[in-house]
Amino acid sequence: MSAPLEPEVGALLEEAQRAFRKEFGSEPTLAVSAPGRVNLIGEHTDYNDGLVLPMALELVTVLVGVPRLDGLISLVTTSEYADEPRRVEFPLPTADQPLEPGMPRWANYVKGVIQHYPASPLPGFSAVVTSSVPLGGGLSSSASLEVATYTFLQQLCPDSVAAVMRAQVCQQAEHSFAGVPCGIMDQLISLFGQKGHALLIDCRSLETCPVPLSDPGVAVLITNSNVRHSLGSSEYPIRRRQCESAAKALGKKSLREVDMKDLEARKELLTKEEFRRARHVVGEIQRTSEAAAALSTSNYKTFGRLMVESHNSLRDDYEVSCPELDQLVTLALSVSGVYGSRMTGGGFGGCTVTLLEADAATRVMKHIQDQYKGTATFYLSKAADGAKVQPL
């Protein structure tokens, strides 16, 4: 048994090209790709100026298209998960008539990047979007689409901004057009992922440091619970506000500036809930630092222990796990050859990530498939490169 093979970039490009010919009656001349990501450790720390350790996936969003001269943008998606309509058309934004979010929701991620794109003049364009990144699974399908859009716009109208600003534009698009107050991690890793490496990101300085993850004897297994609890969208901004409130009560700009000793000594300044949220974040930042050091020396046993501690903290102190994620972690940890497992992403459903010996992957997937009360989907992925221009 093996994980279902997701379409390689080539297959996705062919699918997008076929759809483009069908919709627009011509051949696309430009193509780009941008990956999804899995966060190995460092959850809910990015919007607290903390540390995160994601890797880019072999699952990608592909965008193909051509410029046009009539000032219109025409978009088509082939994704079966996208809301209707699958085709949308709108004029280029102007100072008097900026783009605004609306329906369909999938197009808002593209619109937001167009609206905030820092170079001009952008031409109109026709484009098809297709993706192997599962929507709503915590693997950052939204950032993948935003970064693919930005990379496509660069081919139409080159930008001259600092590299990290590209991630900030994509983040701003998600804030203002999707209404999600996300941190910067997803956009950074989709842009700057490196094959064979995880990326330690300092979300305060926006500095990045590649950490080797290319040992052929070690694998990363992503297990999609295929559940999405409605709490997720409402609870995320609540957690963010709780963290900001805790930092303010402690007289700090962010929880990055708080250590565990200080937090324990001043816990009376916080509500019980704020204290638990802060305890997760402060502990998670420390765990992420230790995990990056462990990975850099191939100390997978320590890395796995830190993953489990991260999951327990997310479950108990941050309260963003759910019974399905907890069961998937427990099932994975019961199989020999597994170093560690944890929920990944925002929580309330989505995926777990498991670090394991490569030859244990089949055993783990079979055990989960036999015992999990839902229907799980598996992805085995190596650490991949970030956004690319693709030849046609």
Side-chain angles (χ1 to χ4, degrees), residues 84-98:
E84 297 287 351
R86 303 275 178 83
R87 180 167 180 166
V88 62
E89 194 168 272
F90 50 89
L92 282 164
T94 65
D96 295 331
Q97 287 195 307

Side-chain angles (χ1 to χ4, degrees), residues 126-145:
S126 299
V128 167
V129 178
T130 189
S131 185
S132 60
V133 188
L135 271 69
L139 301 182
S140 211
S141 57
S142 56
S144 176
L145 177 53

Side-chain angles (χ1 to χ4, degrees), residues 46-198:
D46 59 344
Y47 54 83
N48 287 291
D49 286 348
L51 302 175
V52 292
L53 188 66
M55 74 177 208
L57 295 172
E58 294 166 312
L59 306 172
V60 298
T61 295
V62 163
L63 196 154
V64 303
V66 296
R68 51 194 287 174
L69 302 176
D70 60 2
L72 292 177
I73 295 167
S74 187
L75 300 172
V76 175
T77 181
T78 65
S79 172
E80 62 187 88
Y81 299 108
D83 55 323
E84 297 287 351
R86 303 275 178 83
R87 180 167 180 166
V88 62
E89 194 168 272
F90 50 89
L92 282 164
T94 65
D96 295 331
Q97 287 195 307
L99 295 179
E100 294 182 354
M103 300 299 287
R105 289 184 296 273
W106 65 267
N108 288 334
Y109 300 98
V110 180
K111 286 180 179 177
V113 176
I114 294 168
Q115 180 61 47
H116 297 300
Y117 189 70
S120 62
L122 269 176
F125 62 90
S126 299
V128 167
V129 178
T130 189
S131 185
S132 60
V133 188
L135 271 69
L139 301 182
S140 211
S141 57
S142 56
S144 176
L145 177 53
E146 291 152 8
V147 170
T149 301
Y150 194 104
T151 307
F152 184 79
L153 298 183
Q154 286 180 296
Q155 311 317 302
L156 299 173
C157 178
D159 68 335
S160 58
V161 301
V164 75
M165 272 195 65
R166 296 166 187 160
Q168 291 171 318
V169 167
C170 294
Q171 179 193 30
Q172 189 179 8
E174 187 145 348
H175 287 189
S176 58
F177 276 69
V180 178
C182 63
I184 194 73
M185 169 182 64
D186 298 352
Q187 293 79 12
L188 279 172
I189 186 62
S190 188
L191 277 163
F192 306 124
Q194 291 185 30
K195 186 176 182 178
H197 293 80

Side-chain angles (χ1 to χ4, degrees), residues 206-220:
L206 301 185
E207 293 174 328
T208 60
C209 177
V211 182
L213 182 55
S214 57
D215 186 336
V218 173
V220 174

Side-chain angles (χ1 to χ4, degrees), residues 9 30 88 211 307 346:
V9 173
L30 300 170
V88 62
V211 182
M307 290 177 80

